C-alpha cells in the first residue's frame, strides 16, 4: 500500500494567485508559531502581488537535493519553492521552507547536482533560469537570499542579428565547472560558470535544419547518471537525437524521426539507463516511449518502444528512473505506471536482441494510497522524482490538465511525498 508522507493538500487550489499566496503565508505562519526555537525564513512576495493575477500554480520541475533532505520546485506563478522532507508522516499541510519569485516566466531551469540546503559551500546552492529576451540568470537557493538580483548572468545574444536566443534546455556539467544550453536552429552552447560568454557553441545553418526549421529547437538534455563519460544526448522538437562530446566540442545527429511517426511533436525528456546502453525518449503528442541503443552507430538507433495506455498531450508527464521499480511515469488518473529494472537495463529486448514491438507497463500503483478523503478524479500526475538515497520515497506533482480547464475556480494542483512498497 502506498503511504502519503506529506501533502500540500488544497493550498494551491484555484487560479487567483493573490489568494493562494496569502493562504500559503498563513499556513506557514500557523506552523512556525508553534516552533519557538528556530527562525524560519520569510516567504518573499511576488512582483505581481499588487495585481490581480489568474494562473494555474502547477509545478513544472521538481529536483531533489543530493542528500535527500529537501526538494526544489519551479512553479508556473514565477515562483521557486523549497520544501524540507519530514522525518515522520506529516498530518498537516506540507508548506514551503523558502519561497521567492522572479519577474519573468521561467522557460527552463537547472539546479547544481550538489545542491542541498545543508551544503557548507553557498556556491553549490544555486539554480540557473532562462527567460525570453534576457540573459541566463544564476540565483541563490540559500534560505536567507532574497534574490532581488541574480548572482551571475550569461549572454545568449546572437551577434549576427543582436537578439537574445532563448535557451529551451539547460544541463549542468557533471563536474559543475559549467553548463550546456540548447536553443533555436539546434544551437548548443557550453558555458563556464565564471565567464559571461559561452566558451564553445555550434549552430546549424538554416538549410541544414530542413523544411521544419522552426522546430529545430534543442528541447532537452539527457538526465544525469554515472555513465555520461563526457557524452551527452539532446532531444529536439523535430524528434531528433543529437550526440555531444564535450571533450572535442562536437555534436552529431544520431537519430531522426521515425518515418512511421507522423504524430509526435518532439522529444521533451531523455532518460539514460544506469548501464548507459539505452536512452528513453519521452515525446509530446505520443502514445509510446522510444528506446534507442547508444552502442549502435548511424542514424537509426531505435530498437524498441514502451507502449503507453494513453496519449501524452501538450502538458508533459515527467518520468523518473527508480532503482526499485524501474522507469516510472504518471497518468491522467492518479496512477503511476512502471517498467521494471531488468526491462529498462536491457531495453526491453530478449537475449537475442530482437526488435521490440511495444512493451506495455508491467505494473502500476495509485498515488492516493491510504488517504481516502482525497478526490481521485482530475488528478494528473505531472512530475515524478525519486529520492536519491531511498528509491521507495517519491515526490510527485499533480494537477488538472491546465490546457483543458472546465471549472477554473476549482483547479486542483498539489505536491505530495509518498512511500511505495
Amino acid at each position: 500500500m502506498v503511504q502519503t508522507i506529506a501533502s500540500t493538500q488544497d493550498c494551491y487550489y484555484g487560479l487567483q494567485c493573490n489568494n493562494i499566496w496569502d493562504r500559503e503565508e498563513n499556513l506557514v505562519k500557523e506552523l512556525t508559531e508553534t516552533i519557538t526555537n528556530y527562525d524560519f525564513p520569510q516567504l518573499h512576495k511576488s512582483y505581481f502581488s499588487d495585481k490581480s493575477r489568474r494562473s494555474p500554480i502547477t509545478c513544472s520541475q521538481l529536483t531533489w537535493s543530493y542528500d535527500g533532505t529537501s526538494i526544489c520546485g519551479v512553479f508556473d506563478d514565477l515562483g521557486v519553492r523549497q520544501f524540507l522532507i519530514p522525518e515522520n508522516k506529516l498530518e498537516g499541510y506540507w508548506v514551503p521552507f523558502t519561497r521567492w519569485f522572479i519577474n519573468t516566466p521561467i522557460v527552463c531551469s537547472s539546479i547544481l547536482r550538489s545542491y542541498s540546503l545543508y551544503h557548507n559551500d553557498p556556491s553549490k546552492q544555486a539554480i540557473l533560469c532562462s527567460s525570453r529576451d534576457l540573459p541566463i540568470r544564476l540565483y541563490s537557493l540559500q534560505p536567507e537570499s532574497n534574490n532581488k538580483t541574480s548572482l551571475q548572468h550569461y549572454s545568449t545574444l546572437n551577434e549576427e542579428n543582436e537578439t537574445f536566443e532563448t535557451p529551451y534546455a539547460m544541463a549542468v556539467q557533471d563536474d559543475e565547472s559549467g553548463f550546456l544550453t540548447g536553443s533555436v536552429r539546434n544551437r548548443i552552447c557550453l558555458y563556464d560558470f565564471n565567464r559571461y560568454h559561452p566558451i564553445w557553441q555550434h549552430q546549424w545553418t538554416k538549410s541544414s535544419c530542413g523544411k521544419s526549421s522552426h522546430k529545430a529547437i534543442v528541447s532537452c538534455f539527457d538526465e544525469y547518471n554515472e555513465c555520461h563519460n563526457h557524452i551527452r544526448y539532446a532531444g529536439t522538437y523535430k524528434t531528433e537525437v543529437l550526440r555531444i562530446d564535450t571533450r572535442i566540442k562536437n555534436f552529431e545527429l544520431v537519430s531522426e524521426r521515425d518515418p512511421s511517426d507522423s504524430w509526435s511533436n518532439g522529444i521533451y525528456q531523455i532518460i539514460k539507463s544506469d548501464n548507459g546502453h539505452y536512452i528513453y525518449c519521452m515525446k509530446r503528442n505520443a502514445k509510446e516511449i522510444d528506446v534507442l541503443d547508444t552502442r549502435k552507430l548511424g542514424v537509426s538507433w531505435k530498437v524498441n518502444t514502451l507502449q503507453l495506455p494513453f496519449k501524452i498531450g501538450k502538458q508533459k508527464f515527467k518520468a523518473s528512473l527508480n532503482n526499485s521499480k524501474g522507469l516510472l511515469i504518471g497518468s491522467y488518473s492518479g496512477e503511476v505506471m512502471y517498467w521494471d529494472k531488468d526491462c529498462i537495463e536491457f531495453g526491453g529486448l530478449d537475449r537475442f536482441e530482437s526488435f521490440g514491438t511495444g512493451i506495455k507497463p508491467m505494473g502500476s500503483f495509485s498515488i492516493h494510497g491510504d488517504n481516502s478523503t482525497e478526490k481521485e478524479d482530475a488528478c494528473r500526475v505531472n512530475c515524478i522524482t525519486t529520492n536519491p538515497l531511498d528509491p521507495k520515497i517519491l515526490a510527485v506533482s499533480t494537477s488538472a490538465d491546465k490546457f483543458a480547464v472546465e471549472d477554473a475556480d476549482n483547479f486542483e494542483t498539489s505536491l505530495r511525498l509518498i512511500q511505495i512498497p
Side-chain angles (χ1 to χ4, degrees), residues 50-64:
D50 60 342
K51 300 178 182 178
S52 178
R53 180 180 174 89
R54 288 175 60 83
S55 172
I57 303 186
T58 56
C59 181
S60 57
Q61 177 178 318
L62 278 175
T63 304
W64 282 87

Side-chain angles (χ1 to χ4, degrees), residues 109-181:
S109 60
S110 184
I111 295 175
L112 273 65
R113 285 185 44 242
S114 57
Y115 150 72
S116 170
L117 283 169
Y118 299 99
H119 208 298
N120 293 326
D121 185 354
S123 66
K124 303 299 182 184
Q125 296 173 301
I127 179 173
L128 289 160
C129 296
S130 78
S131 299
R132 298 183 187 278
D133 302 319
L134 286 171
I136 300 166
R137 291 168 289 178
L138 181 71
Y139 289 101
S140 172
L141 289 175
Q142 288 189 283
E144 62 273 16
S145 299
N146 58 26
N147 285 313
K148 290 184 177 180
T149 59
S150 60
L151 299 174
Q152 299 272 4
H153 57 281
Y154 305 93
S155 175
T156 61
L157 187 69
N158 185 330
E159 295 182 356
E160 294 180 1
N161 53 23
E162 296 186 347
T163 60
F164 289 102
E165 292 188 346
T166 305
Y168 292 89
M170 290 193 293
V172 176
Q173 291 287 82
D174 296 352
D175 59 2
E176 296 189 340
S177 61
F179 59 95
L180 290 165
T181 66

Side-chain angles (χ1 to χ4, degrees), residues 273-292:
S273 62
D274 282 340
N275 59 22
H277 294 168
Y278 300 96
I279 56 176
Y280 294 81
C281 302
M282 269 54 72
K283 303 181 295 182
R284 299 185 303 175
N285 197 36
K287 290 185 176 181
E288 74 283 326
I289 299 170
D290 287 345
V291 185
L292 291 93

Side-chain angles (χ1 to χ4, degrees), residues 314-366:
K314 291 182 180 180
Q315 193 171 344
K316 303 166 184 175
F317 290 93
K318 292 289 187 69
S320 177
L321 191 60
N322 184 282
N323 286 331
S324 174
K325 290 288 188 182
L327 184 66
L328 310 175
I329 191 169
S331 69
Y332 289 94
S333 58
E335 294 285 320
V336 174
M337 296 163 295
Y338 61 87
W339 292 263
D340 67 29
K341 184 74 171 178
D342 290 340
C343 173
I344 297 305
E345 286 303 287
F346 295 98
L349 303 174
D350 58 31
R351 61 193 179 95
F352 300 106
E353 295 193 354
S354 58
F355 185 86
T357 57
I359 301 174
K360 294 182 179 179
M362 298 176 175
S364 66
F365 56 85
S366 172

Side-chain angles (χ1 to χ4, degrees), residues 236-272:
T236 76
Y237 282 139
K238 286 182 69 176
T239 319
E240 300 166 330
V241 176
L242 309 174
R243 181 181 183 271
I244 308 151
D245 190 332
T246 58
R247 295 166 300 182
I248 61 174
K249 301 179 177 59
N250 183 43
F251 79 95
E252 59 181 326
L253 174 67
V254 294
S255 179
E256 296 181 293
R257 181 195 292 268
D258 191 307
S260 63
D261 181 0
S262 60
W263 52 86
S264 70
N265 289 328
I267 299 169
Y268 67 83
Q269 186 182 17
I270 295 177
I271 293 178
K272 186 187 290 186

